[in-house]
């Protein structure tokens, strides 16, 4: 809703009727929000928001146990639809809505209500991101614009919006940056299964050995494959943390147009639009570069069959990582489960703690590197 447009007014009965997964409204003071589109995204889960539908969630926003960040409040404003009219009945509220037209001035009574709302509601001062007056032109591809933001880029990219991003004007180039989640298991799991079978059957032949010296070697038993596989998975979890922290969350120099652009293409666009479903997993083409480098390094450092076993464990870890990352944004895990806590942890990383909480599939590596997000329950 444009700031210059008079708000619509709803009665308490109208707001209370919207309490289903297909239409869910909540209140912040006297402000009315349609949060239907946010049900699956909220870290507390769909059931938590629906249990508060039609109610004033001002105290919930303030906490305890969790005080919502400014980004969370700004995000909420995207769902603002009008004001609560406690004085008028349903008939009068309907008349007020029908009376307002695009060219009409707000009548005296509506103006008084608007003024009263602005004086009473502390949330009226929390404006949403105005996409028409933003630092970039959302009607054009963003890839070549963000580099010009300079020192404003870091603050801008960490103010999330619920809006899909177009990176490139060329349709083929744009399509290449988008991937449905199911392509990750479709492309990589057959490779994981085949290489795992190859490693295990090769070890089962009893001919695989590790040569300590030219005269001394140690045979590799087939039951050692799971050990090497899990070593690769564990190694991937460390690589996952390092890439997320040191590459995806590098702070590009304000004067460097190209590094800002690269950062935005790699990860900045995900923080700007964290629920863009087409960009929550890596395109197989881009992922193959990392996978190939991972294989090449292990092939040089470890004996052939061991390096391959560690590699396939790491590749499996990557597939699980991408699937979990998608689920943390769009899934509704059961409260109290591991994924429930992980989802809350990751959402806090997006909305408030962008310089910490770099673990995706696990928070393990955040502990030794002192990047753990403070524990707050939803």
């Amino acid at each position: 809703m444009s700031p210059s447009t008079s708000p619509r007014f709803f009665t308490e009965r109208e707001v209370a009727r919207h309490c289903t997964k297909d239409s869910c409204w909540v209140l912040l003071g006297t402000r009315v929000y349609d949060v239907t589109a946010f049900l699956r995204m909220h870290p507390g889960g769909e059931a938590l928001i629906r249990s508060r539908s039609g109610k004033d969630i001002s105290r919930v926003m303030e906490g305890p146990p969790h005080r919502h960040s400014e980004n969370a409040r700004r995000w909420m404003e995207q769902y603002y639809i009008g004001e609560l009219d406690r004085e008028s009945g349903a008939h009068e509220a309907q008349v007020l809505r029908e009376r307002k037209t695009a060219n009409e001035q707000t009548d005296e009574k509506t103006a008084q209500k608007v003024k009263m709302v602005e004086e009473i509601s502390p949330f009226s001062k929390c404006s949403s991101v105005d996409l028409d007056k933003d630092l970039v032109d959302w009607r054009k591809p963003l890839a070549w614009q963000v580099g010009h933001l300079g020192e404003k880029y870091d603050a801008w990219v960490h103010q999330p919006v619920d809006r899909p991003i177009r990176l490139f004007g060329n349709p083929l180039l744009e399509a290449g940056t988008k991937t449905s989640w199911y392509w990750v298991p479709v492309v990589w799991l057959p490779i994981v299964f085949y290489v795992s079978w190859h490693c295990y059957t090769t070890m089962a032949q009893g001919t695989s050995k590790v040569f300590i010296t030219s005269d001394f070697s140690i045979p590799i038993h087939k039951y050692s494959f799971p050990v090497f596989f899990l070593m690769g998975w564990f190694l991937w979890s460390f690589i996952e943390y390092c890439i997320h922290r040191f590459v995806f969350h590098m702070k590009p120099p304000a004067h460097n147009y190209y590094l800002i652009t690269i950062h935005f293409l790699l990860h900045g666009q995900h923080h700007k639009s964290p629920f863009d479903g087409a960009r929550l997993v890596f395109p197989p083409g881009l992922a193959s570069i990392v996978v190939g480098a991972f294989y090449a390094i292990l092939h040089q450092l470890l004996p052939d069959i061991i390096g391959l076993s560690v590699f396939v464990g790491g590749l499996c870890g990557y597939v699980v990582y991408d699937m979990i990352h998608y689920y943390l944004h769009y899934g509704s895990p059961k409260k109290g489960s591991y994924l429930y806590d992980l989802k809350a942890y990751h959402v806090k990383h997006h909305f408030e703690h962008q310089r910490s909480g770099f673990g995706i599939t696990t928070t393990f590596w955040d502990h030794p590197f002192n990047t753990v997000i403070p524990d707050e329950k939803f």
Side-chain angles (χ1 to χ4, degrees):
M1 182 178 295
S2 171
S4 61
T5 304
S6 302
R8 296 172 61 192
F9 285 91
F10 303 95
T11 65
E12 291 179 323
R13 182 176 298 180
E14 283 180 295
V15 175
R17 283 203 300 264
H18 295 268
C19 58
T20 68
K21 66 178 182 179
D22 298 318
S23 182
C24 183
W25 293 7
V26 296
L27 296 166
L28 274 176
T30 61
R31 294 169 71 79
V32 183
Y33 299 82
D34 181 355
V35 295
T36 310
F38 191 58
L39 289 178
R40 290 180 61 194
M41 306 175 193
H42 187 262
E46 176 183 323
L48 180 61
I49 298 185
R50 287 183 59 188
S51 69
R52 294 164 176 167
S53 60
K55 301 175 183 177
D56 185 358
I57 61 170
S58 301
R59 287 193 176 185
V60 175
M61 293 290 285
E62 289 295 326
H66 172 68
R67 187 180 189 279
H68 288 68
S69 66
E70 288 303 313
N71 272 337
R73 295 163 182 265
R74 185 182 292 107
W75 182 274
M76 270 289 291
E77 293 304 315
Q78 297 174 116
Y79 308 126
Y80 171 73
I81 57 173
E83 299 289 339
L84 182 65
D85 186 358
R86 288 195 173 102
E87 296 181 354
S88 301
H91 175 71
E92 183 182 350
Q94 181 67 26
V95 171
L96 282 173
R97 289 195 298 274
E98 294 176 350
R99 186 184 302 168
K100 186 181 73 64
T101 64
N103 298 322
E104 283 181 332
Q105 296 293 327
T106 307
D107 63 15
E108 183 178 353
K109 185 174 182 179
T110 304
Q112 291 175 351
K113 288 180 180 179
V114 172
K115 182 178 180 180
M116 178 184 67
V117 165
E118 292 176 345
E119 291 175 349
I120 294 177
S121 176
F123 298 98
S124 63
K125 301 183 184 302
C126 183
S127 60
S128 62
V129 177
D130 191 337
L131 299 179
D132 293 324
K133 298 179 181 179
D134 202 8
L135 296 176
V136 297
D137 186 350
W138 286 82
R139 293 177 290 271
K140 300 177 181 178
L142 298 188
W144 314 126
Q145 298 185 60
V146 295
H148 296 295
L149 295 181
E151 60 184 15
K152 297 179 181 179
Y153 170 74
D154 190 66
W156 174 85
V157 82
H158 290 126
Q159 293 179 353
V161 295
D162 188 7
R163 180 187 177 97
I165 286 177
R166 185 174 184 86
L167 293 175
F168 301 104
N170 184 287
L172 291 178
L173 196 58
E174 176 70 8
T177 67
K178 297 182 177 181
T179 308
S180 298
W181 67 269
Y182 52 80
W183 281 113
V184 174
V186 165
V187 171
W188 297 113
L189 281 185
I191 298 175
V192 169
F193 292 142
Y194 174 77
V195 176
S196 296
W197 172 83
H198 170 73
C199 290
Y200 181 78
T201 54
T202 300
M203 291 180 181
Q205 294 175 4
T207 58
S208 300
K209 298 179 181 180
V210 176
F211 285 89
I212 307 301
T213 67
S214 58
D215 299 323
F216 179 72
S217 63
I218 301 175
I220 303 175
H221 197 277
K222 63 181 180 179
Y223 293 131
S224 63
F225 170 72
V227 176
F228 295 129
F229 184 93
L230 291 176
M231 286 174 58
W233 196 320
F234 184 72
L235 178 61
W236 163 257
S237 71
F238 177 67
I239 295 173
E240 165 198 318
Y241 175 88
C242 290
I243 291 176
H244 191 193
R245 179 179 180 181
F246 299 111
V247 179
F248 291 169
H249 279 274
M250 67 169 180
K251 190 172 181 180
H255 62 276
N256 196 313
Y257 171 89
Y258 297 102
L259 281 181
I260 291 176
T261 302
I262 290 172
H263 177 268
F264 186 71
L265 293 176
L266 284 176
H267 197 62
Q269 48 85 15
H270 175 53
H271 269 261
K272 190 62 182 177
S273 182
F275 296 99
D276 186 347
R279 291 196 174 97
L280 287 177
V281 297
F282 281 100
L286 179 61
S288 63
I289 299 174
V290 178
V291 171
F294 183 55
Y295 170 78
I297 293 172
L298 291 176
H299 182 70
Q300 291 295 320
L301 295 178
L302 299 172
D304 184 56
I305 197 63
I306 294 179
L308 199 57
S309 299
V310 173
F311 164 75
V312 73
L315 181 58
C316 186
Y318 157 69
V319 175
V320 172
Y321 150 78
D322 247 354
M323 293 298 92
I324 286 182
H325 184 231
Y326 185 89
Y327 186 75
L328 295 184
H329 282 264
Y330 275 104
S332 296
K334 184 179 179 181
K335 187 173 184 178
S337 66
Y338 175 75
L339 288 176
Y340 181 91
D341 293 335
L342 209 57
K343 180 181 175 76
Y345 190 82
H346 188 60
V347 171
K348 284 190 285 186
H349 164 74
H350 271 281
F351 281 80
E352 189 172 8
H353 299 277
Q354 294 91 358
R355 301 302 176 191
S356 57
F358 299 109
I360 305 296
T361 57
T362 176
T363 63
F364 175 83
W365 295 107
D366 281 315
H367 291 274
F369 288 99
N370 197 30
T371 55
V372 178
I373 296 176
D375 184 32
E376 293 175 324
K377 299 298 182 183
F378 283 86

